[in-house]
Amino acid sequence: MNKIVLVILQAVLQLAGSTSLRFIKPNVVALEVSDLSSFEVSLHCGDQYKGEQICWERDGESISETRNHITVTIDGLRVGNFTCHRPNRDLLNYTLLLVHPVEFPKGGVLIQSSDTEFISCTARNYDGQFNCSWKWHQKRIQRAVIYFTAIRNSSLINCTLDSDISGLTCIDKDYCPYSEESRSINLTLFVRNLYRLEEHHRTFLIRDIVKPDKVSITKIQDDVFEWHPPETWSFPCSFFPLSYEVKVVPSSHSCDYKGSRVEKNETNETHYNVKLKKTYTFCVRAQDPLTKNVWGDWSHYHQRKHRHTSEK
């Protein structure tokens, strides 16, 4: 059994074995382990409470200790929220102790997206705002975001956690869209389910994550369509151009259909004449032609022989 000494809200006094303590934020500490064996952890309520009678609880359940310093045994992932109180139940201090299995594969709390990353980030334009999102494992129902930060060039970027705790909305107020972007944004995210902690990172430039919004399609003649850049796109268009992928697919298929009888083109124009005379679906999506990194989502227009409907 390994032994670790911890002072709540103060410094680590002693570390042993292949385990270390990492302070995530005030009152939150991660026990970084290479295996799930048992450990002894010493907790200290605080020097200012020396000589007082102290009551301890672990996740709301009493611990049979009444001293300022106590030692608890941690088995595997069974850590918890440790609180110290006066006999009248006044809260004095607390530490949320988590386990971070450093040599275990990631993915116990979050799941990978289609691009093999745990965090996906996109920007609608070049105004400095971006969104990062993640997907929780469906079986992890006692989940929480512990800590997050986004930094560029040692400067903190303002981010807020979305209400569903599945994403961040950030704005880099120092970002200038008219100059060369030379330094990356470094995003760090700590999440947990119960008391297991996972750490995730994503490094990117805004130009590499720009994904234009959907365009709005208008039918101007029988088989002639036009569209305009998304209202959220950066202007002027001479400085922030867009290219478009145009696709005509059989009406019973989605815009992602790759089978036969598909008409497909890339263009810088904002109008297109469809040659197909049968019922079809007309699709358009936008991309920054200077980076060619991310295509926007498809907009589509269902063209029928006797009637039509528009869907965007």
Side-chain angles (χ1 to χ4, degrees), residues 29-273:
V29 180
L31 185 64
E32 298 193 323
V33 300
S34 57
D35 58 67
L36 297 180
S37 56
S38 296
F39 300 91
E40 283 189 347
V41 178
S42 293
L43 303 176
H44 180 202
C45 190
D47 289 335
Q48 63 270 43
Y49 310 118
K50 185 177 180 180
E52 294 191 38
Q53 184 178 355
I54 305 296
C55 301
W56 287 87
E57 292 183 358
R58 176 179 183 169
D59 297 333
E61 297 185 2
S62 296
I63 298 175
S64 59
E65 297 280 358
T66 58
R67 297 170 298 160
N68 202 318
H69 291 81
I70 67 170
T71 300
V72 296
T73 300
I74 304 299
D75 294 315
L77 296 174
R78 300 188 64 224
V79 278
N81 188 34
F82 294 87
T83 56
C84 54
H85 311 256
R86 289 191 172 97
N88 65 359
R89 301 287 302 145
D90 284 347
L91 177 65
L92 300 176
N93 214 334
Y94 78 94
T95 287
L96 175 60
L97 187 59
L98 306 173
V99 170
H100 183 201
V102 293
E103 295 186 7
F104 287 52
K106 292 183 179 181
V109 180
L110 302 184
I111 60 175
Q112 290 175 300
S113 60
S114 57
D115 61 357
T116 72
E117 296 282 355
F118 287 93
I119 303 174
S120 298
C121 297
T122 59
R124 304 166 75 181
N125 50 42
Y126 287 97
D127 67 358
Q129 180 170 311
F130 59 92
N131 298 87
C132 294
S133 61
W134 50 88
K135 295 181 180 179
W136 296 96
H137 194 292
Q138 60 183 359
K139 295 183 179 180
R140 307 298 184 246
I141 58 175
Q142 300 189 50
R143 55 207 185 194
V145 173
I146 295 299
Y147 177 78
F148 58 84
T149 184
I151 296 175
R152 191 208 295 265
N153 195 25
S154 301
S155 297
L156 193 64
I157 296 174
N158 182 36
C159 294
T160 56
L161 183 66
D162 297 346
S163 59
D164 63 357
I165 67 168
S166 295
L168 297 172
T169 300
C170 305
I171 178 70
D172 184 356
K173 295 182 179 180
D174 295 327
Y175 174 72
C176 177
Y178 301 102
S179 61
E180 182 69 20
E181 188 178 13
S182 59
R183 295 184 179 271
S184 299
I185 294 171
N186 296 295
L187 178 69
T188 300
L189 174 71
F190 287 92
V191 295
R192 72 176 173 102
N193 182 69
L194 290 173
Y195 298 114
R196 174 174 175 171
L197 183 72
E198 274 190 3
E199 180 180 3
H200 296 279
H201 298 272
R202 190 73 194 262
T203 300
F204 55 89
L205 298 168
I206 285 183
R207 68 168 181 259
D208 293 330
I209 63 168
V210 166
K211 178 183 178 180
D213 280 343
K214 288 184 175 183
V215 304
S216 179
I217 303 173
T218 302
K219 178 182 175 182
I220 57 176
Q221 292 182 18
D222 287 345
D223 294 293
V224 179
F225 301 88
E226 71 174 6
W227 57 92
H228 300 282
E231 293 183 359
T232 56
W233 186 244
S234 300
F235 286 91
C237 289
S238 58
F239 195 87
F240 302 101
L242 283 174
S243 60
Y244 304 94
E245 182 176 17
V246 175
K247 198 172 182 181
V248 182
V249 301
S251 60
S252 58
H253 297 284
S254 72
C255 293
D256 292 320
Y257 177 66
K258 298 179 180 179
S260 59
R261 296 188 297 123
V262 172
E263 184 178 327
K264 180 179 176 182
N265 287 284
E266 289 190 25
T267 179
N268 295 323
E269 303 294 334
T270 56
H271 57 85
Y272 192 82
N273 185 5

